């Protein structure tokens, strides 16, 4: 895949929003607090502030503590987030034990969220965004960041696509590690190109007969996914019919994905599908958060940059990106229109 050689100001904006942009939101009224992020990464970190664009393809494991300042605003990240020196974890087994043993809000939990970031994302930037997700989503689960080696440059989209494909095996290995531990439930969160990486890793697991891993995956949340629809359809067909629930969160305001398609392969991305009938043959749920408000001008970071949507999820008895959709389907949560299109359920959030 080759990008056109001329990058306009619009392309610059697309690249910025496809990665993890700095934004602002509404005052949270808490803090400072510390979010612990467990990291499984193939990136080689050169020191504080490293973009870590080099890789040897080998997974290593760490834990970082990120201090969230009192100035934090829900749905935003800033340079005021303070990242600690890493605590290294020597083996995959020790990593799995550490994740389970770590307390969340004063109590232990065996649930885990695995966050996979998108294109054009530096290592520390991905850490800070992971910490924001942990701070703003009151999910009773420990957070694991899978940090793959993004080139972290505006003109390296094609390189990032290949790097994401190359990282699928490492993500599959991480999921096997977690499944072998005492983790009870894993929810995968893939943003943008990270969503494609998530689906690719699951296809590899399916091909290798890793049923024990799928037994522990409680759901797959794809946020503004940068996946060509035809490729996504082919991947879904590879997966077993008992694959855990797949939820797509998208916005009709995601012009970044539409423009990305125009300057690359001309293929429609999953995160920019407007007509639900286009996905009616797929067993998944699609949540349209266009009317959920937010601070992401490109509409390209569904949920995470939308304070109202975050608040609605947190209002659940057991906040969760997958359980939220189940409650929407059962009409437990007001402000949503639910329709069925073949095998797909379409949910339009409104009135939040």
């Amino acid at each position: 895949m080759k990008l056109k050689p001329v990058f306009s100001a619009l392309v610059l904006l697309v690249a910025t929003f496809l990665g993890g942009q700095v934004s602002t939101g509404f005052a949270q009224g808490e803090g400072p607090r510390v979010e612990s992020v467990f990291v499984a990464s193939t990136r080689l970190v050169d020191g504080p502030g490293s973009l870590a664009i080099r890789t040897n393809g080998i997974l290593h494991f760490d834990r970082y503590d990120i201090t969230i300042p009192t100035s934090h605003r829900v749905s935003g990240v800033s340079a005021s987030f303070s990242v600690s020196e890493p605590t290294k974890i020597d083996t995959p087994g020790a990593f799995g034990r550490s994740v389970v043993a770590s307390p969340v809000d004063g109590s232990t939990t065996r649930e885990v969220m695995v966050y996979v970031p998108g294109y054009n994302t530096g290592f520390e930037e991905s850490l800070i965004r992971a910490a924001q997700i942990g701070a703003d989503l009151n999910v009773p689960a420990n957070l694991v960041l899978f940090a793959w080696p993004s080139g972290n440059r505006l003109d390296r989209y094609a390189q990032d696509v290949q790097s994401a494909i190359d990282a699928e095996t490492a993500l599959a290995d991480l999921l096997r590690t977690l499944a072998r531990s005492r983790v009870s439930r894993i929810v995968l969160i893939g943003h943008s190109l990270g969503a494609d990486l998530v689906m690719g890793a699951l296809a590899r697991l399916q091909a290798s007969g890793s049923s024990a891993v799928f037994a522990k995956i409680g759901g797959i949340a794809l946020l503004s996914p940068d996946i060509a629809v035809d490729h996504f359809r082919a991947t879904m067909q590879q997966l077993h019919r008992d694959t855990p629930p797949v939820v797509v969160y998208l916005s009709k305001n995601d012009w970044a994905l539409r423009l990305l398609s125009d300057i690359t392969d001309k293929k429609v991305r999953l995160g920019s599908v407007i007509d639900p009938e286009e996905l009616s043959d797929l067993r998944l749920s699609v949540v349209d958060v266009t009317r959920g408000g937010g601070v992401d001008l490109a509409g390209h970071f569904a949920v995470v940059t939308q304070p109202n949507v975050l608040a609605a999820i947190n209002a659940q008895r057991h906040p969760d990106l997958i359980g939220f959709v189940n409650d929407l389907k059962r009409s437990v949560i007001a402000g949503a229109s639910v329709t069925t299109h073949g095998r797909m359920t379409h949910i339009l959030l409104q009135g939040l």
Side-chain angles (χ1 to χ4, degrees):
M1 181 185 299
K2 294 183 179 179
L3 292 173
K4 294 180 179 179
V6 178
F7 284 84
S8 66
L10 283 178
V11 175
L12 176 64
L13 285 173
V14 168
T16 300
F17 284 119
L18 285 171
Q21 75 276 25
V22 174
S23 57
T24 58
F26 303 104
Q28 185 177 9
E30 295 181 359
R33 60 182 293 182
V34 175
E35 286 292 329
S36 294
V37 178
F38 290 90
V39 178
S41 179
T42 56
R43 305 178 84 144
L44 297 176
V45 182
D46 303 315
S50 169
L51 297 177
I53 61 175
R54 297 185 304 113
T55 180
N56 59 7
I58 299 174
L59 268 178
H60 58 88
F61 306 96
D62 303 277
R63 169 178 167 161
Y64 288 81
D65 292 330
I66 293 90
T67 301
I68 312 294
T70 55
S71 59
H72 173 59
R73 294 169 177 265
V74 171
S75 80
V77 296
S78 74
S80 298
F81 282 47
S82 176
V83 179
S84 72
E85 289 296 315
T87 298
K88 297 192 177 300
I89 302 174
D90 292 333
T91 66
F95 182 75
R97 291 190 296 273
S98 298
V99 171
V100 172
S102 183
V104 175
D105 294 332
S107 62
T108 57
T109 177
R110 293 170 57 201
E111 295 196 15
V112 174
M113 291 191 300
V114 177
Y115 166 58
V116 184
Y119 151 64
N120 186 35
T121 307
F123 179 72
E124 188 165 306
E125 183 181 9
S126 67
L127 272 174
I128 289 173
R129 181 59 79 181
Q132 180 249 320
I133 292 173
D136 291 352
L137 272 175
N138 297 332
V139 175
N142 283 309
L143 184 61
V144 173
L145 166 66
F146 177 73
W148 58 279
S150 165
N152 195 58
R153 276 183 48 172
L154 305 181
D155 59 350
R156 290 189 176 174
Y157 178 75
Q159 176 182 310
D160 271 11
V161 169
Q162 185 58 54
S163 294
I165 293 171
D166 293 343
E168 290 173 359
T169 299
L171 177 55
D173 288 342
L174 167 63
L175 296 176
R176 290 190 187 96
T177 293
L178 293 173
R180 285 192 294 265
S181 73
R182 293 181 60 250
V183 164
S184 61
R185 181 172 180 264
I186 302 167
V187 171
L188 287 163
I189 304 172
H191 170 237
S192 191
L193 188 57
D196 198 5
L197 202 168
V198 164
M199 297 304 295
L202 292 175
R204 289 177 185 263
L205 286 168
Q206 179 66 50
S208 66
S210 301
S211 57
V213 179
F214 283 94
K216 288 198 174 183
I217 298 177
I220 302 150
L222 308 179
L223 313 183
S224 306
D226 176 14
I227 311 175
V229 171
D230 58 351
H231 177 57
F232 178 73
R233 179 173 283 108
T235 303
M236 288 288 285
Q237 290 170 352
Q238 293 177 46
L239 299 178
H240 194 273
R241 63 182 180 182
D242 294 328
T243 298
V246 178
V247 178
V248 175
Y249 287 90
L250 55 76
S251 170
K252 292 186 177 71
N253 292 333
D254 196 343
W255 54 261
L257 280 183
R258 292 193 290 274
L259 186 54
L260 176 68
S261 173
D262 288 341
I263 64 175
T264 55
D265 53 16
K266 308 298 183 183
K267 293 184 177 181
V268 176
R269 297 314 200 259
L270 181 61
S272 60
V273 171
I274 294 177
D275 182 1
E277 289 294 337
E278 293 183 37
L279 305 174
S280 61
D281 60 316
L282 299 174
R283 186 171 60 86
L284 75 159
S285 300
V286 174
V287 185
D288 184 337
V289 298
T290 306
R291 299 182 184 179
V295 296
D296 181 359
L297 298 181
H300 187 62
F301 213 143
V303 178
V304 174
T305 56
Q306 296 182 287
N308 293 344
V309 180
L310 289 167
I313 294 171
N314 288 336
Q316 294 178 273
R317 186 186 313 176
H318 186 98
D320 181 76
L321 286 168
I322 308 302
F324 178 60
V325 172
N326 294 335
D327 282 350
L328 288 169
K329 289 179 180 179
R330 294 194 299 267
S331 301
V332 175
I333 300 173
S337 171
V338 182
T339 56
T340 300
H341 302 263
R343 304 176 68 197
M344 189 268 279
T345 300
H346 184 263
I347 302 169
L348 174 63
L349 292 187
Q350 48 194 350
L352 293 181

